[in-house]
Amino acid sequence: RIIPVDALLLTLYCLRLPSILNCKPQVEYLRKESLGHTPNGESMPTSLFNMCLPTLYITVPDPLSLPILLQHLETRNKKLLACNILGVKAPDRVSYDTAPRSEPLPRSEVEMWAVRVAVTCLPPEIAERMRWCIGIWKNARALCILDEGLSGCLTDVWLILHCARDVQIRTSSSFR
């Protein structure tokens, strides 16, 4: 699976990468041709090129969760990361900011989000989202990603998913 990524993004956050400094795009001039004419009758020339971009092959433990991790590195938005993993929009009162923080979400906010996940997702979906959370964590560890907010966000998401599973279990046992 090929995932296009900005080389600068990887070099900023990942400590464990093969050397990509000597990789340069190869551009081959093909031909010059006209795209047509402007309303004034002037020719609109264009040049056609063949470009070969350097490819860096990276092996990660969980390729399916890599796009979510890469989007987080690009946006640095923990609320967006949490929403992507959880599959639901954040409750309005959840105070996820974009600045790195070390303290976990308050319990009331975790419970609000957990109820929303429990109502929206079936138990197999919650299990799948737990696997994504683990996969993102494994990929971050494999690439040695330096991001203060990532581990805190993954911890919050893990707690929300566990609480959502508990809500579903309590709810289903009350109907028996």
Side-chain angles (χ1 to χ4, degrees):
R1 185 173 170 186
I2 296 175
I3 302 172
V5 182
D6 186 358
L8 181 60
L9 184 70
L10 290 178
T11 50
L12 277 175
Y13 297 111
C14 305
L15 294 179
R16 194 176 294 161
L17 285 177
S19 176
I20 56 176
L21 297 176
N22 297 330
C23 299
K24 295 180 182 171
Q26 297 173 356
V27 180
E28 175 187 358
Y29 176 76
L30 296 176
R31 66 182 178 275
K32 190 172 188 174
E33 63 182 45
S34 176
L35 286 176
H37 297 284
T38 65
N40 299 339
E42 298 172 4
S43 176
M44 294 189 318
T46 186
S47 298
L48 298 175
F49 294 93
N50 185 17
M51 183 179 285
C52 182
L53 297 174
T55 305
L56 180 64
Y57 294 95
I58 300 173
T59 303
V60 291
D62 189 6
L64 295 177
S65 66
L66 186 61
I68 297 172
L69 176 61
L70 294 174
Q71 182 187 29
H72 170 70
L73 292 179
E74 190 173 323
T75 62
R76 309 280 293 163
N77 186 327
K78 294 183 302 248
K79 189 174 191 176
L80 179 62
L81 174 64
C83 289
N84 284 338
I85 298 171
L86 295 171
V88 296
K89 187 176 177 242
D92 295 331
R93 293 187 301 263
V94 171
S95 59
Y96 244 128
D97 56 353
T98 54
R101 64 178 180 81
S102 56
E103 69 278 354
L105 276 176
R107 181 155 183 82
S108 62
E109 294 182 14
V110 168
E111 289 172 352
M112 278 191 294
W113 217 333
V115 168
R116 184 170 283 191
V117 172
V119 169
T120 308
C121 300
L122 295 171
E125 291 175 285
I126 291 178
E128 181 66 22
R129 294 179 189 291
M130 287 176 145
R131 283 191 287 277
W132 284 356
C133 193
I134 292 169
I136 292 169
W137 179 80
K138 284 181 178 179
N139 289 343
R141 298 280 299 172
L143 295 171
C144 285
I145 290 177
L146 296 176
D147 183 354
E148 297 169 10
L150 179 64
S151 61
C153 181
L154 290 176
T155 301
D156 290 342
V157 167
W158 186 255
L159 182 60
I160 291 166
L161 289 169
H162 273 280
C163 287
R165 193 178 63 178
D166 290 345
V167 167
Q168 286 182 337
I169 291 170
R170 282 195 312 263
T171 306
S172 66
S173 65
S174 67
F175 287 117
R176 290 183 188 168

